[in-house]
Amino acid sequence: MNTASSPTPSLVNLTCPLPLTEKERIVLGHGAGGKLTAALIAELFQPAFHNPTLDRLDDQAVLALPAVSAGGRLALTTDSFVVTPIFFPGGDIGSLAVHGTVNDLAMGGARPLWLAAAFILEEGLAQADLRRIVASMAAAARAAGVEIVTGDTKVVNHGKGDQIFITTTGVGWVPEGVHLSSNQARPGDRILVSGTIGDHGMAILSQREGLAFEEPILSDSAALHTLAAAVIDAAGGHLRCLRDPTRGGLATALHEIAERSGVGMLLEEKHIPVRELVHSACELLGIDPLFVANEGKLVAIVAPEAAAAALAALRAHPLGENACLVGEVRSEHPGMLMLRTEVGGTRVLDTLFHEQLPRIC
Amino acid sequence: MNTASSPTPSLVNLTCPLPLTEKERIVLGHGAGGKLTAALIAELFQPAFHNPTLDRLDDQAVLALPAVSAGGRLALTTDSFVVTPIFFPGGDIGSLAVHGTVNDLAMGGARPLWLAAAFILEEGLAQADLRRIVASMAAAARAAGVEIVTGDTKVVNHGKGDQIFITTTGVGWVPEGVHLSSNQARPGDRILVSGTIGDHGMAILSQREGLAFEEPILSDSAALHTLAAAVIDAAGGHLRCLRDPTRGGLATALHEIAERSGVGMLLEEKHIPVRELVHSACELLGIDPLFVANEGKLVAIVAPEAAAAALAALRAHPLGENACLVGEVRSEHPGMLMLRTEVGGTRVLDTLFHEQLPRIC
């Protein structure tokens, strides 16, 4: 093999400036694996997310576990984010995609370590919007102490997607001795909520429907791993289960725990914290805040002897200052959720059949 | 707290049959986190994928590493699949989503362990199609020895997606001593390809364009982890890098390796295996098979002293029987790919700027 007889100009050093349109809008070529994909990675994703693992640009991240111990286990979670609108008061699809996945790790008792991020972009998406979303993801990941170590980008034809969908997958490490699961609630356990409910869903809905209140409703989107760690530390083996009540809200999250644990639950309506503004918006729209998504709240099921310590630990954290004890696990009515209303009656909180608020996350 | 005064009928034992339309088509409620989501998981995903981890139905999988050793490392990879059409000769979006992610793990030298699967469904998708895709994923995962341990489902409005997008994320374990990366190619290394190129891309394109040849072109979609293990075993520390030439094809994969390793490459056109039918289809459509996606082929860069052993190992495997030595790594023209054509000339193989074949995976 010999190329010496045909000298070739060193094309590799010539850079071809991208046409203006391809700097402004996403085109199909950005997902085709060639020069445009490489440019998108080099100019947009890598500067925002960069770390030694990602910078190798291999098709997989290879990672040394920082804390391998015989009894520890790996946590893995994935979520696609299809929220509309993609920018909303209190966050955007990028920060939400990081928080949502960090939180799913944290609810399993895991220390979040790494994220993978896969983007499905619609042809025509403004590159400025993508850049803003990616910056927001990078900031959220940095704040949560996780690295985005691998990713993927696909582009679909205009009209075959909706601006941007992001799938984040998280890997975390569950220390020895931590065993949280939705099948561990026992009669007598206390039900704690870390703050006001319904903020995220009503922020999205208000924005989507163009509702103007005296002040905007802000999403509560936040990374809950340090809050989760605080309650795990405080309650130790008395903590049964953590859950972030996202899609379907508090009622759906508790219903799932009740069903999987084969227990009933009784909630006290008057103890469930709801922001005044969210309450008004819900009334106006005929929506029950118990079924509205949260993205920065957790539910903790705790044995009675550790409930006070767990509540104190939540309240001592900036993200848990409005934490409340909202109810109790019961042996009656297994798989069901009962609500004692403010006027003293008791009613069944069934899960929703159809969507109340689609595309909220 | 006391509910004894208001006895409640045991609603939990009543099952409400879903209306016919919701059995036949995906509706927004299937992604809203309530009853319909639960039914979709219980009736469709869980029976197909079931394993003890997934069956816990928590928001995260918690996993004991089967082979934690001090020098081993974790591999993580993610890919969104947006291929159209979703069913094609030789596979479908489901099997492709498993193979693609298993292969990205295998190319890093990892033993594939677990997959996470996130679905973005378009409202109106036929449930029968989803069921067929999920069955195909489950079969592909079983065949590859990986478990689908966690997942997510979102539904977007009709016209805001394209039937189904699947994001699979894979976790694997890289044994001590295996260090493969695209920055390790050295002058003198040999370039091996495990079989005929261009099959997947031309299968998709023929189907999409309604081209009828005397026989259908089949996708080569396959899990390559055992083939990768065979070449790793045979070449040991002499193996520099493995890569599956998907989007952008063989030329793009090699170009990336050349760029990251700071080396040139010379390919011999006459040694590059292309099926007769694929060759004809490419000629007809004016497409270069070197840039067409593969989903069941690998490229291995191997030090010269191990090239024969690596080639023999590939050829001894059912998925590598057409393996060939197709070229050599050179010090000249770093970052560039040269092709010695069948007639004896030499030309530069540049990467593609725009897409040749969008939405191929």
Side-chain angles (χ1 to χ4, degrees):
Chain A
M1 297 181 189
N2 177 17
T3 59
S5 57
S6 62
T8 312
S10 184
L11 292 181
V12 76
N13 292 324
L14 300 177
T15 58
C16 168
L18 300 180
L20 189 63
T21 55
E22 281 150 358
K23 280 287 196 189
E24 289 179 347
R25 298 275 166 193
I26 292 296
V27 298
L28 284 172
H30 284 116
K35 271 193 176 34
L36 281 174
T37 306
L40 195 69
I41 292 170
E43 292 165 20
L44 202 150
F45 291 113
Q46 226 188 332
F49 297 150
H50 79 102
N51 56 66
T53 311
L54 185 74
D55 292 350
R56 282 171 55 238
L57 293 177
D58 282 328
D59 284 342
Q60 67 296 117
V62 177
L63 304 154
L65 281 171
V68 173
S69 62
R73 288 157 304 146
L74 206 68
L76 179 68
T77 187
T78 194
D79 256 315
S80 288
F81 293 85
V82 301
V83 63
T84 177
I86 57 176
F87 300 103
F88 49 81
D92 58 52
I93 192 171
S95 53
L96 185 65
V98 170
H99 294 155
T101 294
V102 163
N103 291 349
D104 278 345
L105 290 175
M107 297 306 111
R111 176 184 152 207
L113 295 174
W114 301 295
L115 295 183
F119 297 84
I120 298 175
L121 310 178
E122 185 190 8
E123 184 185 22
L125 173 69
Q127 283 210 33
D129 285 347
L130 178 58
R131 199 174 292 275
R132 187 175 153 198
I133 289 163
V134 164
S136 161
M137 286 185 80
R142 237 184 342 263
V146 293
E147 284 183 332
I148 297 171
V149 290
T150 190
D152 181 50
T153 309
K154 294 286 169 15
V155 180
V156 296
N157 317 64
H158 182 69
K160 298 294 185 181
D162 195 5
Q163 298 184 276
I164 178 169
F165 302 142
I166 304 175
T167 302
T168 41
T169 304
V171 174
W173 189 252
V174 185
E176 191 169 358
V178 175
H179 292 270
L180 306 177
S181 181
S182 56
N183 63 11
Q184 300 187 138
R186 297 287 168 266
D189 287 352
R190 303 298 195 262
I191 303 166
L192 310 181
V193 171
S194 66
T196 57
I197 63 162
D199 299 10
H200 175 74
M202 294 316 290
I204 297 289
L205 193 67
S206 311
Q207 170 94 348
R208 199 148 78 194
E209 305 298 325
L211 301 179
F213 299 104
E214 56 271 46
E215 46 179 322
I217 300 177
L218 297 184
S219 167
D220 58 347
S221 181
L224 296 172
H225 58 301
T226 58
L227 185 67
V231 69
I232 290 170
D233 278 354
H238 296 298
L239 180 64
R240 314 294 196 195
C241 162
L242 293 176
R243 195 81 181 226
D244 55 337
T246 57
R247 275 188 292 185
L250 179 65
T252 305
L254 289 176
H255 203 279
E256 285 179 13
I257 299 169
E259 212 161 63
R260 285 170 206 164
S261 296
V263 295
M265 291 186 180
L266 179 67
L267 294 183
E268 293 286 344
E269 188 172 33
K270 66 173 181 282
H271 293 152
I272 299 172
V274 184
R275 255 180 236 291
E276 189 53 43
L277 198 60
V278 170
H279 186 80
S280 309
C282 282
E283 284 216 322
L284 190 73
L285 296 163
I287 285 175
D288 185 342
L290 286 165
F291 290 93
V292 176
N294 310 276
E295 293 289 347
K297 298 294 155 30
L298 62 77
V299 179
I301 311 290
V302 196
E305 56 267 45
L311 186 60
L314 288 173
R315 286 188 175 162
H317 191 285
L319 292 173
E321 53 191 15
N322 297 316
C324 291
L325 193 161
V326 298
E328 194 179 311
V329 178
R330 313 294 288 255
S331 54
E332 309 92 70
H333 311 305
M336 290 176 71
L337 199 57
M338 313 293 295
L339 180 76
R340 187 143 54 197
T341 63
E342 305 216 26
V343 296
T346 303
R347 66 179 176 93
V348 175
L349 282 175
D350 199 4
T351 50
L352 295 183
F353 187 76
H354 273 289
E355 82 289 353
Q356 194 177 233
L357 300 171
R359 298 189 59 189
I360 217 72
C361 62
Chain B
M1 297 180 189
N2 176 17
T3 58
S5 57
S6 63
T8 312
S10 184
L11 292 181
V12 76
N13 293 324
L14 300 178
T15 57
C16 168
L18 299 180
L20 189 61
T21 56
E22 282 150 357
K23 281 288 198 191
E24 287 180 347
R25 298 276 166 191
I26 292 296
V27 298
L28 283 171
H30 284 116
K35 271 194 177 31
L36 280 174
T37 306
L40 196 68
I41 292 169
E43 292 166 20
L44 202 149
F45 290 113
Q46 224 186 334
F49 296 150
H50 80 100
N51 56 67
T53 312
L54 186 74
D55 293 349
R56 282 170 56 237
L57 293 177
D58 282 328
D59 284 341
Q60 68 296 119
V62 177
L63 305 154
L65 281 171
V68 173
S69 62
R73 289 158 304 147
L74 206 68
L76 179 68
T77 188
T78 195
D79 257 314
S80 288
F81 293 85
V82 301
V83 63
T84 177
I86 57 177
F87 300 103
F88 49 82
D92 58 53
I93 193 172
S95 54
L96 185 64
V98 171
H99 294 155
T101 294
V102 163
N103 292 349
D104 278 345
L105 290 174
M107 297 306 111
R111 177 183 151 206
L113 295 174
W114 301 296
L115 296 184
F119 296 84
I120 298 174
L121 309 178
E122 184 190 9
E123 185 185 19
L125 173 69
Q127 283 211 34
D129 285 348
L130 179 59
R131 199 174 292 276
R132 187 175 153 199
I133 289 163
V134 163
S136 160
M137 287 184 81
R142 239 186 338 266
V146 292
E147 283 183 333
I148 296 171
V149 290
T150 191
D152 182 50
T153 308
K154 294 286 170 13
V155 180
V156 297
N157 318 65
H158 182 68
K160 298 293 185 182
D162 195 7
Q163 298 185 277
I164 178 170
F165 302 142
I166 305 175
T167 302
T168 42
T169 304
V171 174
W173 189 253
V174 184
E176 193 170 356
V178 174
H179 292 271
L180 306 177
S181 182
S182 56
N183 63 10
Q184 300 188 137
R186 297 289 167 264
D189 287 352
R190 302 299 195 261
I191 303 166
L192 310 181
V193 170
S194 66
T196 57
I197 63 162
D199 298 8
H200 175 72
M202 295 315 292
I204 297 290
L205 193 66
S206 312
Q207 170 93 347
R208 199 146 80 193
E209 305 299 324
L211 301 179
F213 299 104
E214 57 270 45
E215 45 179 324
I217 300 177
L218 296 184
S219 166
D220 59 347
S221 180
L224 296 172
H225 58 301
T226 58
L227 185 66
V231 70
I232 291 170
D233 278 353
H238 297 298
L239 181 64
R240 315 293 196 194
C241 163
L242 293 175
R243 194 79 180 229
D244 55 336
T246 56
R247 276 189 292 185
L250 180 64
T252 305
L254 289 177
H255 202 280
E256 286 180 13
I257 298 169
E259 212 160 64
R260 284 171 206 161
S261 297
V263 296
M265 291 187 179
L266 178 66
L267 295 183
E268 293 286 346
E269 188 172 33
K270 66 172 181 282
H271 293 152
I272 298 172
V274 183
R275 255 181 236 292
E276 188 53 43
L277 198 59
V278 169
H279 185 79
S280 310
C282 281
E283 284 217 322
L284 191 71
L285 296 163
I287 284 174
D288 185 342
L290 286 165
F291 290 92
V292 176
N294 310 278
E295 292 288 349
K297 299 292 154 33
L298 62 78
V299 179
I301 311 291
V302 196
E305 55 268 45
L311 187 60
L314 288 174
R315 287 189 174 160
H317 191 286
L319 292 173
E321 53 191 17
N322 297 316
C324 291
L325 193 161
V326 298
E328 195 180 309
V329 178
R330 311 296 287 255
S331 54
E332 307 92 68
H333 312 306
M336 291 177 69
L337 200 57
M338 314 293 295
L339 180 75
R340 186 144 53 198
T341 62
E342 305 216 26
V343 295
T346 304
R347 66 179 176 93
V348 175
L349 282 175
D350 200 3
T351 50
L352 295 183
F353 187 77
H354 272 289
E355 81 289 353
Q356 194 176 233
L357 301 171
R359 299 188 60 189
I360 217 72
C361 60

